[in-house]
Amino acid sequence: MEAFLQQLNESQREAVLYNEGPSLVIAGAGSGKTRVLTYKIAWMLQNGISPYNILALTFTNKAAREMKSRIARMADEDTARRLWMGTFHSLFSRILRREAEHTGFRSDFTIYDAQDSKNLLKAIIKEKQLDDKVYKPASIQAHISKVKNELITPERYLADKELIEYDNFTHKPAIADIYMTYRNRCKTAGVMDFDDLLLYTYLLFDENPEIKARYRNQFRFILVDEYQDTNSAQHEIVRQLTTEQHSICVVGDDAQSIYSFRGANIGNILDFRKTYPESKLFKLEQNYRSTQIIVKAANSLIDKNKEQIPKHIYSRKSPGDAIPVICAYSDLEEGYIVAGRIAEMRMIRHCEYKDFVILYRTNAQSRIFEEALRKINIPYRIYGGLSFYQRKEIKDIIAYMRLTVNPNDEEALKRVINYPARGIGDTTVNKIVATATTHNVGLWEVLADPLKYNLNINSGTAKKLESFRKIIYRLAEIALTQDACETGRAIVKETGLLGELYEDRTPEGLSRVQNVEELMSSLNAFVSSRREEGIREISTGDFLAEISLLTDQDTDKNAHADWVTMMTIHSAKGLEFKNVFIVGLEEQLFPSERSMQNPRNIEEERRLFYVALTRAEETVFLTYARNRFRNGQSQSCVPSRFLKDIDRQYLHIPADAAFGHSPVQPSFSAPHSQTKPERYTSLRKLAREENEPDVTVQHQSIGPLQVGYRIRHERFGAGKITALTGENENAKAVVLFDNFGSKQLLLKFARFEIIKE
């Protein structure tokens, strides 16, 4: 074991060897946290402590498996197997099964996943004849989860005047009754949900002192990983088991506390030494992952937070290069700049695609990067989520779009005939399918004339089908006369989809709304870009043809073991990559708009940025756009305050990325500006598009424009006019853009300003 201890630095070794009372190990990013936990347990085992007496709590099964595997190599497999090591939920489930007779459940109780729980709540709301637009199952589920994690039972809920008054204020007085019914139905069915595994463990110990004492005596040594991510229930259960013998070691990093939306309470780690006044503090401050520049930049950022345990993380790796800040003129250009940089670095530095990750604040941001990477044939995968066009809410809207073009699209019809809910159940759909099969016709033909095909339905169902049919007819008429963007807007309005999504105020619901808004931006960009380029194909069918290839990720996933990874920053915690792009660094996006009214929320957003920075081993790129399409129109953006939080000596800042200055407000209606702003210059031009000029009539100048002038386009950024062709309504400019290659623009629709003559 002494040989193993020699592999630790001094701070790690001290944390491993201390076992005389409670200890708090603050483990900075890349500081070897897992190694410390593993070696500490191995050291205990080597010193005669039984695995039966050690309780090691983690947040993921992966972390538990990894530590057990390492311990097995240092001790032996049988000893490692007998450790009480695993996630909170798995180990507490084990205890609850063992003590089932004291909980009111059988030992073979089953566990509901989130969808099971939601389905039961949906049924209860329906049975109680409550309005599911007021009592949204997803929102009620989130609320019940929250109160359970605060250890509030239905009885306590009913007795809490503040909770009841709040429910009355929000016009949801039946929540307490729903919660009580839900708890009782679960008990009757012999099931628990994930939150119950924590709540019932707490109640087991709270209501049975002799059982609590037995487990206190068994678990003489308790270790908790990622303590900054614990919620109130987890903290209280740990406290129940340690109030007498205090043999507890928690490991975590307050600077990486980013899950408050899941109930995590940063106060658990910040106040640990108040809960255990005799505890000893250890700090793991050497970062083994990142260059010195990255670590120093991250330090200068997180120093701006008030709620933290002071620490100074350092690196002894190479100094590294200053972190480039890239200012794109638009979100579209941002995507192509990032794709271009990846292509360049792969060619020049001989990197593999798997060495790159693109980190964003919200899932909706992935679309532009997906399209840019595909444009130059860079393989990628979406980690911890689906490709943009594979997300349910997007597929629902696309299904409606498909029906407006082709009502005989059977899969599209089955997908949305009862979404949003309109009382057309599976039984009715099955009858339609059976009737269509019998008569060898499409589903839509049966739906359009149910009497002709003797569809066996009652009058009420017939009216519901007629209502759905009218919606599709109406949307089809719009699709025939309007562009794809107008059709998309009509779909989310006419079908009630947007209202359905907006009523779900859970984090997941808000993410879905953002995705729909991003789709609307995509439609707007599709139509406006094609109009500018003089392309007439802007219909719904044209858009569907454009994205059809984007909806199939199977080829990328099966053909390449080497791909660029894209993910939200929340999904990236615990991972590391050689090269990291942190994108969308703008106010109201990162930090998010919802966080901006609360200083504590801003601090969590800053911690999220800190997590993003510290994923990088060698290089980080920080990007933002001056203009971003939101709600179907281009909006000016302000660089994120977090960029100003980083000490400038660690950044490479181009002149046009002057933080604190308002973004340029281009005057597209008068494309003759004399301003000469600095611009970002890419290392390599992306592949040029085949947009050849109309050679029939060429000009040296049209109005204020001349061949050779530089312009800045709203979406494509800066470029040089290489040709002017056509007359009057058909006048066009061919522009070689810095990051998009050659584009032909129809001047009557083009939105740009002259930046250099």
Side-chain angles (χ1 to χ4, degrees):
M1 189 65 194
E2 288 299 321
F4 287 124
L5 292 177
Q6 294 305 313
Q7 299 174 21
L8 304 173
N9 65 34
E10 185 177 349
S11 298
Q12 292 171 334
R13 196 177 306 113
E14 288 179 0
V16 165
L17 295 177
Y18 182 77
N19 207 28
E20 299 170 12
S23 61
L24 169 61
V25 181
I26 296 298
S31 63
K33 167 181 65 68
T34 302
R35 171 175 285 196
V36 167
L37 274 173
T38 303
Y39 280 42
K40 190 174 185 71
I41 294 170
W43 181 84
M44 289 179 180
L45 296 172
Q46 289 270 337
N47 282 270
I49 296 173
S50 168
Y52 179 76
N53 296 131
I54 299 173
L55 174 65
L57 296 163
T58 68
F59 274 86
T60 65
N61 289 311
K62 179 183 175 183
R65 286 195 300 268
E66 182 181 341
M67 284 194 284
K68 272 191 177 181
S69 176
R70 292 190 191 185
I71 291 166
R73 291 195 295 269
M74 288 187 283
D76 62 77
E77 287 193 14
D78 181 63
T79 300
R81 190 164 40 247
R82 289 188 292 123
L83 282 166
W84 275 71
M85 174 181 283
T87 64
F88 283 89
H89 293 91
S90 65
L91 294 184
F92 293 165
S93 172
R94 183 175 168 186
I95 290 172
L96 289 170
R97 293 187 191 283
R98 178 186 283 186
E99 309 295 340
E101 61 182 296
H102 301 283
T103 66
F105 288 82
R106 290 174 42 164
S107 61
D108 60 353
F109 66 82
T110 54
I111 299 172
Y112 272 170
D113 64 17
Q115 189 59 51
D116 295 326
S117 171
K118 184 178 176 181
N119 289 342
L120 176 56
L121 284 167
K122 188 175 182 179
I124 290 170
I125 290 165
K126 184 177 181 180
E127 290 165 13
K128 293 181 179 295
Q129 298 183 329
L130 297 169
D131 187 348
D132 62 4
K133 290 184 172 58
V134 176
Y135 294 92
K136 290 282 293 182
S139 297
I140 301 301
Q141 181 184 34
H143 183 69
I144 290 176
S145 175
K146 181 176 182 293
V147 298
K148 281 185 179 181
N149 286 326
E150 292 172 359
L151 303 174
I152 299 173
T153 63
E155 291 79 10
R156 280 190 59 195
Y157 196 108
L158 281 166
D160 192 312
K161 290 183 178 180
E162 287 188 12
L163 284 172
I164 300 301
E165 286 176 3
Y166 182 78
D167 289 346
N168 290 330
F169 176 75
T170 57
H171 307 292
K172 297 176 186 175
I175 288 181
D177 183 40
I178 294 171
Y179 182 18
M180 180 72 77
T181 304
Y182 174 77
R183 192 274 307 273
N184 293 341
R185 291 275 283 273
C186 285
K187 276 200 166 185
T188 300
V191 299
M192 295 188 190
D193 62 25
F194 289 128
D195 299 313
D196 286 333
L197 297 175
L198 302 180
L199 176 60
Y200 281 115
T201 301
Y202 173 81
L203 294 175
L204 174 69
F205 293 154
D206 189 57
E207 296 170 359
N208 300 276
E210 72 288 353
I211 295 176
K212 178 169 63 175
R214 177 153 39 89
Y215 282 98
R216 276 180 181 166
N217 291 333
Q218 176 182 339
F219 299 134
R220 293 170 50 204
F221 303 94
I222 296 177
L223 302 96
V224 186
D225 190 17
E226 304 285 9
Y227 201 68
Q228 76 281 350
D229 294 336
T230 54
N231 61 29
S232 298
Q234 290 160 332
H235 172 75
E236 286 301 318
I237 295 168
V238 169
R239 192 183 59 79
Q240 285 177 316
L241 293 172
T242 57
T243 50
E244 291 184 3
Q245 41 84 12
H246 284 197
S247 294
I248 178 174
C249 172
V250 303
V251 181
D253 183 7
D254 55 292
Q256 297 185 66
S257 178
I258 59 174
Y259 294 123
S260 66
F261 66 96
R262 294 181 187 168
N265 182 2
I266 191 175
N268 293 344
I269 193 167
L270 293 178
D271 298 333
F272 181 84
R273 286 177 291 172
K274 294 180 182 177
T275 306
Y276 303 92
E278 73 277 33
S279 63
K280 187 166 182 178
L281 175 66
F282 299 91
K283 296 180 183 180
L284 309 183
E285 296 178 304
Q286 183 173 354
N287 179 300
Y288 290 91
R289 176 186 302 154
S290 308
T291 65
Q292 294 179 30
I293 288 286
I294 293 171
V295 170
K296 289 176 180 178
N299 285 346
S300 68
L301 169 78
I302 204 64
D303 280 348
K304 308 302 186 296
N305 271 12
K306 294 180 180 179
E307 281 194 313
Q308 64 172 302
I309 296 171
K311 65 188 90 54
H312 182 73
I313 310 301
Y314 66 93
S315 170
R316 289 178 177 164
K317 292 186 70 176
S318 66
D321 299 323
I323 299 171
V325 177
I326 298 173
C327 171
Y329 196 69
S330 68
D331 50 354
L332 186 65
E333 187 182 46
E334 181 185 36
Y336 277 79
I337 288 172
V338 170
R341 277 289 175 106
I342 291 172
E344 293 157 9
M345 291 177 68
R346 185 170 183 268
M347 180 177 64
I348 297 169
R349 300 190 186 180
H350 306 292
C351 298
E352 295 182 86
Y353 287 128
K354 65 184 178 183
D355 294 332
F356 296 92
V357 67
I358 301 172
L359 300 179
Y360 35 75
R361 179 63 181 83
T362 67
N363 277 311
Q365 292 170 258
S366 74
R367 177 188 64 84
I368 283 174
F369 297 97
E370 288 185 68
E371 294 177 1
L373 292 171
R374 277 186 171 270
K375 197 76 172 180
I376 54 176
N377 298 316
I378 293 179
Y380 67 90
R381 67 168 179 169
I382 306 291
Y383 181 97
L386 295 171
S387 170
F388 181 80
Y389 290 104
Q390 288 293 317
R391 291 167 187 151
K392 179 190 179 300
E393 57 277 9
I394 303 304
K395 292 186 76 172
D396 290 334
I397 297 173
I398 296 300
Y400 273 109
M401 296 182 82
R402 284 160 54 186
L403 284 178
T404 67
V405 174
N406 175 22
N408 290 313
D409 187 325
E410 181 174 330
E411 291 304 313
L413 188 146
K414 287 194 292 187
R415 183 178 185 90
V416 299
I417 192 171
N418 197 40
Y419 186 76
R422 49 178 62 91
I424 304 172
D426 290 343
T427 301
T428 301
V429 173
N430 291 338
K431 287 180 179 179
I432 295 171
V433 172
T435 302
T437 302
T438 299
H439 291 86
N440 197 28
V441 296
L443 303 191
W444 183 258
E445 290 186 54
V446 175
L447 195 65
D449 196 349
L451 291 177
K452 176 181 176 181
Y453 294 101
N454 298 314
L455 183 62
N456 182 23
I457 54 174
N458 59 37
S459 58
T461 301
K463 288 180 180 178
K464 293 169 184 174
L465 292 177
E466 182 182 4
S467 176
F468 173 70
R469 188 170 63 246
K470 286 180 177 178
I471 289 173
I472 300 303
Y473 276 139
R474 193 158 56 246
L475 293 172
E477 288 177 359
I478 293 171
L480 279 174
T481 57
Q482 302 293 325
D483 60 47
C485 186
E486 291 301 320
T487 303
R489 287 174 180 161
I491 286 170
V492 297
K493 181 180 179 182
E494 297 276 340
T495 63
L497 276 171
L498 199 58
E500 175 91 1
L501 292 169
Y502 266 115
E503 286 172 5
D504 183 358
R505 305 310 295 170
T506 64
E508 294 80 7
L510 292 172
S511 177
R512 286 190 282 271
V513 170
Q514 290 174 337
N515 289 337
V516 172
E517 290 173 346
E518 179 65 18
L519 178 63
M520 294 301 104
S521 293
S522 173
L523 286 163
N524 187 291
F526 170 81
V527 171
S528 60
S529 294
R530 288 196 162 208
R531 276 182 175 156
E532 280 190 311
E533 296 176 52
I535 301 172
R536 296 181 181 180
E537 290 77 16
I538 57 174
S539 70
T540 303
D542 298 322
F543 178 75
L544 292 173
E546 175 87 359
I547 68 166
S548 62
L549 293 177
L550 296 177
T551 62
D552 185 6
Q553 292 291 315
D554 292 337
T555 302
D556 282 342
K557 290 189 175 183
N558 294 333
H560 298 277
D562 183 27
W563 46 41
V564 173
T565 300
M566 295 197 293
M567 65 177 77
T568 64
I569 303 168
H570 282 103
S571 299
K573 188 167 173 287
L575 303 177
E576 56 188 40
F577 295 85
K578 285 185 180 179
N579 309 296
V580 174
F581 289 85
I582 307 173
V583 301
L585 283 163
E586 301 140 28
E587 291 289 290
Q588 299 188 348
L589 183 56
F590 196 10
S592 69
E593 187 173 8
R594 284 182 294 145
S595 72
M596 297 182 71
Q597 303 304 316
N598 186 321
R600 291 197 73 175
N601 291 345
I602 288 291
E603 292 214 343
E604 178 156 336
E605 292 282 298
R606 189 177 285 111
R607 292 195 293 270
L608 189 61
F609 187 24
Y610 176 85
V611 167
L613 278 173
T614 54
R615 297 312 92 199
E617 298 174 0
E618 297 178 2
T619 58
V620 182
F621 297 87
L622 309 178
T623 76
Y624 70 93
R626 289 186 181 277
N627 301 280
R628 186 171 294 275
F629 261 71
R630 290 177 179 163
N631 303 319
Q633 61 182 359
S634 180
Q635 297 181 3
S636 297
C637 303
V638 176
S640 171
R641 67 190 70 190
F642 299 149
L643 290 169
K644 291 186 286 185
D645 286 343
I646 299 175
D647 193 318
R648 288 190 173 224
Q649 66 178 306
Y650 307 127
L651 301 177
H652 175 68
I653 308 172
D656 63 346
F659 312 141
H661 295 288
S662 298
V664 174
Q665 302 287 340
S667 176
F668 297 113
S669 60
H672 53 266
S673 169
Q674 301 297 313
T675 60
K676 300 179 182 180
E678 294 289 330
R679 63 183 179 86
Y680 163 73
T681 304
S682 67
L683 297 179
R684 173 177 173 265
K685 300 291 191 292
L686 301 186
R688 297 187 178 185
E689 296 184 17
E690 293 184 4
N691 268 318
E692 294 300 325
D694 181 356
V695 296
T696 55
V697 183
Q698 294 205 26
H699 308 282
Q700 195 60 32
S701 65
I702 295 180
L705 298 179
Q706 291 187 24
V707 173
Y709 275 15
R710 287 189 60 78
I711 67 167
R712 190 187 297 279
H713 185 269
E714 184 189 62
R715 295 280 279 165
F716 304 134
K720 181 179 180 180
I721 298 174
T722 59
L724 293 166
T725 68
E727 302 285 348
N728 301 322
E729 293 288 299
N730 294 317
K732 301 172 185 174
V734 179
V735 184
L736 180 59
F737 287 102
D738 295 344
N739 293 292
F740 289 88
S742 185
K743 292 274 187 184
Q744 183 172 264
L745 306 179
L746 193 62
L747 292 180
K748 70 175 180 178
F749 289 121
R751 304 173 68 189
F752 62 87
E753 63 173 346
I754 299 171
I755 59 174
K756 187 174 183 180
E757 295 189 14

